[in-house]
Amino acid sequence: MDRNSLFLEPWKEIAAIHWNDWRWQFRHRLRGAARIDGFSGYNPLKRKALQGVSRAYPVSITPYYFSLIDRRDRNDPVLRQCFPDLREINFSLGGVDDPLEESSHMPVKGLIRRYIDRCLILTTTVCAVYCRHCNRKRLRKKSNKSMTVRPLMRPMLEYIGREKAIREVILSGGDPLTLSDQRLDAILKSLRAVRHVEVLRIGSRAPVVMPMRVTPELCETLRKYRPLWFNTQFNHPREITPEAARACEMLLEAGIPVSNQSVLLRGINDSYEVMRELLQGLQRISVRPYYLFHCDPVLGTDHFRVDIGKGLEIMEKLRHSVSGLCLPGYVVDMPGGKVKQPVHSPRMDDVEPCR
Ligand code: SF4
């Protein structure tokens, strides 16, 4: 028997009504070491080691995202983004838990303010898929006390209400789209009630990892709070599926601009050809490539980091071959986390980067 069929079996008979239901996808996320055993095909020693990784940094993969993996390829770009890797716990490779020093830019717990006119709020620490390259993987570290965000919401809102210079609030996490429509509605409503908050922004990977989350009901909820911008994170052209395209289209139809913030990841999208296909694919589905982030020096992600010179080389080639609408700003977080720095082309100098 193909070892992979063991893993796919439970979903074979799943009716479309369930598969297309984000709550089903969320409930059936592949989590923890036991599930990894089912498809890893590794020898027992390596399996045990991988279990160690998933204990340090939890695993969560939606059936949908898992279905995008070419399971014959251990270096598959989708698999590498969601499947644990032994190098994550080889801490001698460098990096720190919080390279952007977000924790020291929190005037109140859960609210990050690095710029005078905007702030970011952590609405949850949960994501549908835990990206192995995440720059907030510290929030899920088992050794840390997990942060319960809900009780922090009121102090965050009170702070925003007091700080009149804040005109833009970014809902982040974790992934805000793991919250119910009702919960999101309540948060957005409270923010909209603050007169000086002009613009809202949501950062979510849901269109990529669980596109069925974008429902007509969600779009109706979000529509009420425009101007509202939506940033997502496609990192590889294989993630641009008809389902993902439809999710983005629904947001656009609701009047919500969708932009993309990719992360430059070694072995995943660090080639001109892959990046071009990704950017042109995004343009085809009307998603604006906004930023290409240089992977932050987060502990346990060294194996994803690409040399800046290589990033620049890719950008340079792109600049000569794709339209300006396809071209993201290539930015790097400076050590200390004070600012993000464009690396590169003079024509992006007027862009102030902010994730
Ligand atoms: S969805 Fe975003 S916050 Fe969640 S793990 Fe991925 S990169 Fe991190």
Side-chain angles (χ1 to χ4, degrees), residues 11-191:
W11 302 331
K12 256 190 172 166
E13 306 301 326
I14 291 301
I17 192 167
H18 295 312
W19 183 263
N20 295 325
D21 176 352
W22 76 272
R23 292 183 186 281
W24 182 91
Q25 290 281 340
F26 194 69
R27 269 200 310 276
H28 290 83
R29 287 172 295 158
L30 306 169
R31 303 178 70 190
R35 298 313 299 266
I36 291 166
D37 278 358
F39 65 90
S40 66
Y42 291 115
N43 65 46
L45 218 61
K46 191 154 183 186
R47 255 188 239 168
K48 209 169 156 59
L50 283 177
Q51 288 170 359
V53 182
S54 72
R55 273 193 294 274
Y57 297 114
V59 174
S60 173
I61 312 171
T62 55
Y64 165 83
Y65 197 61
F66 184 77
S67 75
L68 305 186
I69 294 172
D70 175 354
R71 283 159 301 110
R72 293 160 304 184
D73 180 5
R74 290 280 164 78
N75 291 315
D76 178 80
V78 176
L79 181 135
R80 287 209 45 227
Q81 289 183 67
C82 61
F83 195 81
D85 187 303
L86 294 180
R87 289 170 290 186
E88 287 178 66
I89 51 172
N90 181 355
F91 299 133
S92 66
L93 294 173
V96 290
D97 261 345
D98 184 9
L100 310 188
E101 296 182 3
E102 291 186 331
S103 316
S104 54
H105 288 83
M106 282 189 185
V108 292
K109 199 168 178 193
L111 182 148
I112 300 161
R113 189 173 184 191
R114 295 167 65 200
Y115 301 91
I116 189 73
D117 66 337
R118 73 208 95 139
C119 69
L120 180 150
I121 58 174
L122 303 180
T123 55
T124 174
T125 57
V126 176
C127 299
V129 168
Y130 289 139
C131 312
R132 309 318 290 178
H133 57 273
C134 179
N135 68 359
R136 294 206 185 108
K137 58 197 291 180
R138 68 183 183 282
L139 294 181
R140 286 174 287 279
K141 231 177 166 181
K142 289 276 171 69
S143 54
N144 283 347
K145 286 228 176 341
S146 64
M147 193 163 107
T148 311
V149 172
R150 206 175 172 114
L152 304 177
M153 200 51 73
R154 182 184 285 269
M156 288 196 267
L157 290 168
E158 285 171 356
Y159 174 85
I160 293 167
R162 283 196 305 274
E163 292 290 314
K164 303 234 179 315
I166 295 178
R167 62 174 293 275
E168 183 173 344
V169 178
I170 301 151
L171 278 65
S172 184
D175 194 324
L177 262 57
T178 58
L179 301 173
S180 68
D181 290 356
Q182 293 70 22
R183 180 82 190 122
L184 266 175
D185 188 67
I187 296 172
L188 292 167
K189 191 173 181 178
S190 308
L191 289 168

Side-chain angles (χ1 to χ4, degrees), residues 259-260 278-279 282-283 287-291 325-329:
S259 302
N260 190 64
L278 171 65
L279 300 175
L282 290 170
Q283 193 195 23
V287 171
R288 170 82 166 102
Y290 182 34
Y291 288 131
L325 281 178
C326 290
L327 214 54

